[in-house]
Amino acid sequence: MDKLHSHQNLQNRISYLEKELLKAKSSALPLTFNLEPRLFFEICEHSKNAIAIFETVDHGNNFFIRYLNFKAEEIESVNRKKIIGTNLTDSFPSVKTSGFLNALKKVYQSGHPEDFPATMFSSGKIIEWKQNYIYKLSDILLVSIYIDETEHRTKEFELFEHREKLEIAMEAANYYSYEIDFQTMKISTDLELYIHLGYSDSESKEFLKKAGSLIHPEDYKKAVNLISQHSRKIKPSLKTEFRIKNKRGQWVWFSANGKIIEWDKNSNPRRFVGLVKNVQEEKEMLFKLQESEEKFKSLATLLPEVIYETDVHGNITFVNLKAYDIFEYTPDDLKKGLNVMQILAPEEFERATINLEKVLEKENSTGEEYQAITKTGKRFPILVYSNPIKKNNNVVGLRGIIVNITDHKKTQEQLKNSEETFRQLSENIADGFWLRTLDEKVIYANPACYNIVGARLKEIFEDFDLYLNWVHPDDRKQITEQRQKNLEKQDKIHFYEHRIINQDGEIRWLWIRTFPVYDTNGKLYRRAGIASDITTQKKLWSELLAAKEKAEESDKLKSAFLANMSHEIRTPMNGILGFAELLKDENITEQDKMDFIKIIDSNSKQLLSLINDIIDVAKIEAGQLTLNKKETEINPLLCEIYQLFKKEQKRLKKENITFNLKIPDSENPVIFTDIFRLKQIFHNLLSNAFKFTKTGTINMGYQIISENGRSYYRFYVADTGIGIPENMVHFIYERFGQVQPQKFTNKHGTGLGLAISKGLIELLEGKIWVDSVEQDLSQKISGHSTFYFTIPINKMFSSKKQKPEVKLKQKMKDFSTVSILVVEDDKDNLEFLRRLLRKFGATVFIAQTGEEAIQLVKTNTQINLVLMDIRLPDINGFETTQRIKEINPKLPVIAQTAYAMYNDREICLENGCDDYMAKPLNRDILFKKINQYLYN
Ligand code: ADP
């Protein structure tokens, strides 16, 4: 401060100097250097002002430098020793242009001191600034006391410039300065402030006097309080906000700061300066911000989802109420510090950390699923969305939403399950299922649908022409009509069936059901369909129909059969009963007696044959018929059959028919088959041939043929009879199948013969068929039939030894030493056997129950043989046999059964019997068997 002497200081010093000089004058000191020179120079040398003394010798035209003090030497940057005594204008030529010379002259001439601020310009800028005070010391001497103010003035100028700039800047930034004088307690401000608030110039000037009166009373109080705190040095500076009323009576917000800049000696504040700034806009912004934050917060409270904010470390800084609700933490927990990781299950940490870093690197998260954990350890799934919070382009934290997806998950799971169920169902059902839009675009079709329709399903389903092409030609018309119906009634269920030709060219039947699908608003928006391949059902259905027809037919046949059977049975029964009745007559002749017995015998045989047929059919159908194959020469066998039928031809009085046996010219071939059954087949065929032929020829024979690498005997019976209509050819092999039997004169027959023959031939691994032309006398077409059947030639004849048939002795022995036990509960049969055996001399024991039989065996050791009936009233024949064998294991037991339905022989042998005979017993066979067991 000392260095920069203010103008005032300079004045003070000069006046001091003047006073000193005047003192010197008054004390009669010499005016020039009469003054104590040492003192004078002492003063001058220590003066901080530059002092120069000039002398004029030519009345003020030229001035010579007489003295320069130390300071002047310093300011002028000269060596005073060199320039003292020189002409002023020579040493300092600039005095002419600066006006200093003129100023000296003026003071010299007027005698009045002159204040002369001297400036030097260079490039339009003041480069030198000196403040001179020129004083006339005597007639020839002038004193110039001066100071170089260049630096000070430059600074002052710069300060002025700065202040101007500052004022402009302050105005631009709405800053206004103010000052408080603590002594007067007056506040003064920039006039601009009031103008800025809309007041007129004159009003503003008024306010200048009473600044502070416009401040809001509350804020005023607050500001006074703050200033007081500041003045007591409680606060280092003042910073506050207050409202000032504008011209329109509105309160405008200002911010103010300031500082006490002057204190008195007692450290009391004297001056306070500061700036105020209009912050109304910022305030409004802040209010809006606060308002929107308020809004946000109240909305956040209402939100059903969790809203959160964290810092960069994941420490939660804000959450809405929902968060406390679902995570079970309290606001206190949050205050104490809660990291986002604490609401995640431990296994999620690693993934969450990676994701957190990604978001912090400014990536927005699209939603990550985590397992959350509550304060009490409850777990549930959440979906977390987060965005980075940025400030000045730096990420300072995270903000996001957490959604509890437990319900969503459950629904998703349920949906998944139901979808899975649907998928399983739809992919595994054999029925085709599809869903399509109302404009016939296929949305879904299950695999079965593709199986039925093929890979082009979509194409076919979406283009009716293609569909029609796929439909069987015979069903196309019906399907075209059906489609029309479907289109007209899209909201109805439609059923229909049609055939298609599939990729393999196969005709398949489809059953189709299409139905409407509605959306949640009950609006029709899709159609779905189910197609089932019902080809098998259709086939079954037609088979069922055929079976039904057949059953009805067979029902009819049965009725016919029963009528026939009744006839067949009654006829021989009539004969038997009628002639048996006649036999009772004592007067009949011996010849008649014999004739009657023959008739009874013949009728009985006929009846037995019928029963045998029925039993055979039953056995074949039950799969119970067993074969007894053996090796036999064919030719003699056929001769035997032929001979038998020669006799039959005679009996039938059909000698007019030419009957031939044709045997191929070859070695006598051998056949391995069931001879009995082979004879039975021939018997049936030949019987029919004779039955249905009136005249012409009947041939029988065989050929050896080869088919598919196998050799067969092909037997045949050919006749020139009535023939068989073509459509009945298959029917005749059915049980009871007869072609209009009433048409024929020969009404004998049950319709079982061919059924039995076919069954037997198939058991013998052969086939039967017929070539026939039906006789039509009106068309003069003669009929004929040739029945063929095959038996394979089995070259590898079974090596298995057949159980040898009991060899029957040809010669009959006398039974006089024989005791036979007859076990039989039927009195007639018993009587018959008793008489028969006795007739041949045997002793006959009789038992009607099993127990009786056992007792008799126990008590009569002479019994040699037992004839055992199987069906007995108490214990059956098998058990009786076993108990008899326990008593006497060697006693032969021959079973006699009337069942004939089962494999009797096997069953009897298995149950301990030695042999078996079917009822009615053949006398010869019985005697042969008894002979065999007693004398062999
Ligand atoms: P049945 O001869 O007892 O009636 P079959 O089963 O032996 O029974 O024959 C069935 C039917 O086949 C006969 O009723 C007859 O209509 C027809 N049939 C069988 N053989 C001949 C044949 N040689 N000529 C004409 N029709 C025959």
Side-chain angles (χ1 to χ4, degrees), residues 725-752:
E726 209 184 326
N727 62 342
M728 300 299 272
V729 164
H730 290 291
F731 175 63
I732 55 174
Y733 300 107
E734 301 285 337
R735 278 185 297 138
F736 317 120
Q738 289 177 309
V739 182
Q740 298 166 326
Q742 66 280 13
K743 190 172 137 186
F744 309 112
T745 46
N746 186 349
K747 287 197 175 164
H748 286 296
T750 55
L752 291 176

Side-chain angles (χ1 to χ4, degrees), residues 688 691-692 719 723-724 732 737-739 749-754 785 787:
N688 283 342
K691 205 188 314 180
F692 298 107
D719 65 61
I724 303 159
I732 55 174
Q738 289 177 309
V739 182
T750 55
L752 291 176
L754 284 179
S785 305
F787 279 89

